[in-house]
Amino acid sequence: MRNKIHTLLPHILFVALVVLILLPSVEKTENYIPFLIVVVLIELGLLLKRKSTVSKDIGIIVYIVLILWEYFTAKVGMKNAMLYPAPENVFNVITKDYAKILEGVGSSLRLLGAAFGIALTCGVGLGLLVGLSDRLSGTIMPIVRVISPIPPIIYSPYAVALLPSFRAASIFVITLTIFWSIFMSMVLGVREIDKKIMDSARTLNLSKGSLILHVLLPYSLPGIFNSVSVSVSTSFLVLTAAEMIGGTSGLGWYIKYYSDFANYSKVVFGIVMIGVVVTVLNVLLSLLRKAVIRWK
Amino acid sequence: MSKIEFKNISLDYRDNNGSVYKALDGVNFSVEEGEFVSIIGSSGCGKSTILSVLAGLNHQKEGSFLIDGVETSGTGKNRGVVFQHYSLFPWMTIKRNLEFGIKQNFPELSKKELSEKALLYLEKVGLKGFEYKFPSQLSGGMQQRAAIARTQAMESEILLMDEPFGAIDAKNRVILQDLLLEILDSTEQKKTIVFVTHDVDEAILLSDRILFMKDKKIETELKVPFERPRNRERLTTDGAYRSLRKEIVDLFYYDGVEQKNEFEGGEGI
């Protein structure tokens, strides 16, 4: 019996939420269709994952939050309606601000992509170089241990002054946030490779190039993937902070811009979008990891 | 001229604390072409160190190491090695591991030829159908089969094996020993093999000669006079087998009781 209720509860809450949305709302509540679509998408997701207990629990929490949000803002009406936008208004932003949002996401992703590209190339390349030489790693690593813990965002005012454009400065700061952990895991991968694997590689008489490409890189790959996964969230933090401080596009800029106009529907929508983008990136990354690291 | 010669080879070993131990102390022996020689002894006696010098992973401090009469140091294509663990790369499928190894010794082969050769040797060790598995998806015994297949496919004249069946359960160890015997008997070009083990029965079953090591030196040399092809069951009921076995076990017994080993399990020198 309890089991049955647990299974049905998310769906009962879904129906309740839909009915609630369809009931008449207070004045100034906008088109409810986008919000309804989002709710239906959530329900479809739950139906797809109906076998897992966790997804039921998550569904219950999400629906309760949405029902409360919908009830207090769109149905009862808050005293300070501007500060507490109804979900209808928040999700309706997509229909009005479609182009700007897309451009913002694109701009943020381009910055992030550039930073990851530079950080990966330099981190792996320099990591190999330093890791392969006893003398280099003996000299460089103590220096790195001093520099790497400095939070990169600290450099941003100086970077803005030093570099030609704000874009270049943001890329520099974001690159630094990701670079160190990739560099460190590459150096570690090369320095602390399992002696047995190294012996096996040596008995095959590999050339230096082959050793790097077929042994050291694959051995370090899981560590690099870990660094990148951890970096995605931190780099987004730095990215949006940079956009809020001095950007002219991007999601961080979007949120800052509209909060200056007290348009909190757009602010909340921007926040939701950041959550969506980070989640999508993380999911893509874990799919890529599964495809590349098949041996674990 | 012997295939392999060790002349008065000594080697020091420095542990993590910086203390220096003798790892080999004036080791002398030779191995003839096509001969199967086992090195046997308790842990820490230096048997794995001998193998690492033979493989070119370690360099002696004194003495000379000759292959075909030529002073040798470093690794070389004429030697293939099977270790107890991690002979294969975990990130390559079994077939790719073989292809990669073969390619190092035969760079002129095309992709197709590499693939055919890899498949041929995998089939010989009974791994058909497992080509596209990663080592971690196979049992320890199957991993060792693949490692043996790789050294066979690479066609090195000398095969070095460092306790290859040491981590395999008793039942599968017997199967692998028989497989190794079968492979060795079936190849026309007889390989020269140095095999490190601490298993007395394994050493007798497989070798032509057994070197017993104690205190970083070779203490005793024993001939194994049995005809090939050998049959495990016939052998174990043979009186000569049992007296040889007793002789070796006695060597172990007097070695083991008198003194405690300095570094237990110190195989990785």
Side-chain angles (χ1 to χ4, degrees):
Chain A
M1 187 63 196
R2 264 183 71 185
N3 239 332
K4 216 162 199 173
I5 293 175
H6 185 222
T7 309
L8 281 176
L9 191 57
H11 308 299
I12 295 170
L13 288 170
F14 165 71
V15 174
L17 179 57
V18 170
V19 170
L20 191 65
I21 293 170
L22 294 176
L23 286 174
S25 302
V26 295
E27 234 186 308
K28 284 194 176 167
T29 306
E30 297 172 24
N31 181 6
Y32 61 75
I33 300 290
F35 180 41
L36 199 61
I37 291 172
V38 169
V39 173
V40 169
L41 285 178
I42 294 173
E43 179 66 13
L44 284 177
L46 286 184
L47 286 174
L48 266 177
K49 294 240 165 197
R50 62 181 169 278
K51 293 238 159 62
S52 100
T53 320
V54 179
S55 79
K56 280 171 205 147
D57 293 342
I58 292 172
I60 291 168
I61 292 173
V62 169
Y63 282 139
I64 289 177
V65 169
L66 289 179
I67 286 172
L68 291 175
W69 184 12
E70 169 71 9
Y71 179 73
F72 284 109
T73 55
K75 301 305 159 188
V76 179
M78 299 290 280
K79 222 196 248 164
N80 206 340
M82 197 185 64
L83 264 178
Y84 305 101
E88 280 88 344
N89 301 12
V90 168
F91 290 101
N92 200 29
V93 170
I94 189 87
T95 60
K96 295 187 289 188
D97 240 5
Y98 171 77
K100 226 180 233 161
I101 293 285
L102 213 63
E103 202 227 290
V105 172
S107 156
S108 294
L109 286 184
R110 273 197 303 278
L111 273 181
L112 214 58
F116 266 96
I118 298 170
L120 265 177
T121 320
C122 297
V124 170
L126 293 174
L128 270 173
L129 200 71
V130 171
L132 281 172
S133 148
D134 287 338
R135 191 165 164 197
L136 261 182
S137 58
T139 318
I140 301 281
M141 289 320 275
I143 303 175
V144 166
R145 271 188 272 279
V146 174
I147 299 177
S148 63
I150 301 173
I153 194 126
I154 290 303
Y155 300 121
S156 45
Y158 189 42
V160 167
L162 215 61
L163 291 165
S165 67
F166 179 77
R167 227 186 122 70
S170 325
I171 292 177
F172 172 75
V173 173
I174 300 163
T175 302
L176 268 187
T177 20
I178 318 160
F179 170 79
W180 289 120
S181 64
I182 293 175
F183 174 77
M184 302 273 233
S185 54
M186 194 65 223
V187 173
L188 269 182
V190 176
R191 308 277 320 157
E192 298 189 359
I193 184 165
D194 195 319
K195 190 176 170 297
K196 293 175 191 135
I197 289 183
M198 205 55 196
D199 280 351
S200 176
R202 284 173 63 197
T203 59
L204 291 183
N205 304 300
L206 303 186
S207 65
K208 195 103 180 170
S210 225
L211 182 74
I212 290 173
L213 199 64
H214 297 291
V215 180
L216 296 176
L217 273 180
Y219 183 82
S220 315
L221 211 52
I224 292 173
F225 257 101
N226 283 343
S227 314
V228 171
S229 321
V230 173
S231 301
V232 165
S233 309
T234 3
S235 63
F236 231 83
L237 175 92
V238 176
L239 166 77
T240 44
E243 286 171 344
M244 286 173 94
I245 295 166
T248 48
S249 64
L251 285 172
W253 167 81
Y254 185 88
I255 292 168
K256 175 78 174 61
Y257 183 79
Y258 284 105
S259 67
D260 288 346
F261 286 104
N263 189 337
Y264 293 108
S265 300
K266 292 196 176 180
V267 171
V268 174
F269 187 75
I271 294 169
V272 171
M273 274 316 283
I274 288 180
V276 170
V277 171
V278 174
T279 308
V280 168
L281 283 180
N282 279 327
V283 168
L284 288 180
L285 203 64
S286 73
L287 287 178
L288 185 67
R289 186 199 181 100
K290 262 196 197 130
V292 175
I293 305 175
R294 287 183 300 147
W295 64 88
K296 290 221 158 164
Chain B
M1 184 175 54
S2 302
K3 187 77 185 167
I4 299 170
E5 266 180 285
F6 257 44
K7 285 186 182 161
N8 207 21
I9 284 190
S10 294
L11 179 66
D12 288 341
Y13 160 66
R14 192 180 294 273
D15 72 1
N16 292 333
N17 303 323
S19 325
V20 177
Y21 297 94
K22 260 219 154 5
L24 292 177
D25 185 9
V27 171
N28 283 293
F29 71 91
S30 59
V31 181
E32 302 309 312
E33 177 139 24
E35 197 184 14
F36 192 127
V37 170
S38 285
I39 302 176
I40 197 165
S42 339
S43 324
C45 68
K47 54 190 194 297
S48 284
T49 312
I50 289 190
L51 205 95
S52 76
V53 173
L54 282 169
L57 297 172
N58 242 322
H59 190 68
Q60 73 272 18
K61 205 178 91 185
E62 286 161 33
S64 52
F65 161 35
L66 311 173
I67 293 181
D68 294 324
V70 181
E71 184 83 36
T72 306
S73 73
T75 58
K77 287 179 184 177
N78 51 1
R79 283 156 285 157
V81 190
V82 177
F83 297 98
Q84 188 172 6
H85 295 287
Y86 284 123
S87 299
L88 306 168
F89 295 122
W91 47 86
M92 293 180 190
T93 62
I94 298 300
K95 179 164 171 255
R96 177 89 181 93
N97 257 296
L98 261 74
E99 290 170 348
F100 187 67
I102 300 166
K103 202 177 162 194
Q104 306 310 318
N105 282 12
F106 302 97
E108 71 282 359
L109 290 186
S110 71
K111 255 199 155 112
K112 191 165 160 272
E113 288 166 318
L114 283 176
S115 162
E116 282 167 2
K117 197 158 190 192
L119 288 175
L120 175 75
Y121 281 92
L122 280 176
E123 207 177 328
K124 282 192 183 181
V125 297
L127 282 178
K128 204 178 175 197
F130 295 95
E131 302 92 332
Y132 298 104
K133 297 274 185 209
F134 288 98
S136 62
Q137 295 170 306
L138 299 183
S139 69
M142 286 166 125
Q143 291 177 25
Q144 292 308 73
R145 278 166 195 253
I148 292 169
R150 184 173 69 181
T151 54
Q152 292 294 308
M154 289 171 72
E155 296 182 17
S156 309
E157 307 144 38
I158 299 171
L159 179 54
L160 307 171
M161 303 180 95
D162 190 2
E163 301 201 40
F165 311 141
I168 313 289
D169 63 273
K171 186 186 156 210
N172 278 301
R173 197 182 312 162
V174 169
I175 296 173
L176 281 168
Q177 288 161 356
D178 288 341
L179 176 80
L180 184 61
L181 272 182
E182 192 190 308
I183 291 174
L184 297 178
D185 289 336
S186 69
T187 22
E188 301 115 52
Q189 182 78 49
K190 279 206 86 182
K191 282 186 195 294
T192 309
I193 299 171
V194 180
F195 189 99
V196 166
T197 180
H198 55 250
D199 182 330
V200 178
D201 293 300
E202 184 171 81
I204 302 176
L205 177 72
L206 298 172
S207 355
D208 300 314
R209 197 146 50 95
I210 296 174
L211 308 177
F212 181 82
M213 275 195 89
K214 185 187 171 181
D215 288 345
K216 330 295 179 195
K217 275 184 217 163
I218 288 171
E219 194 178 65
T220 315
E221 223 182 282
L222 303 117
K223 277 246 169 246
V224 184
F226 309 112
E227 291 281 304
R228 288 178 194 271
R230 289 179 187 163
N231 174 294
R232 178 188 303 274
E233 268 175 56
R234 242 191 3 250
L235 215 55
T236 42
T237 50
D238 192 322
Y241 173 92
R242 275 181 299 186
S243 65
L244 180 59
R245 188 179 192 285
K246 187 177 181 306
E247 195 179 335
I248 301 171
V249 171
D250 284 347
L251 286 171
F252 264 102
Y253 181 74
Y254 291 120
D255 182 45
V257 168
E258 315 265 299
Q259 58 168 79
K260 221 173 142 34
N261 292 313
E262 282 160 273
F263 26 96
E264 191 64 32
E267 313 293 347
I269 298 169

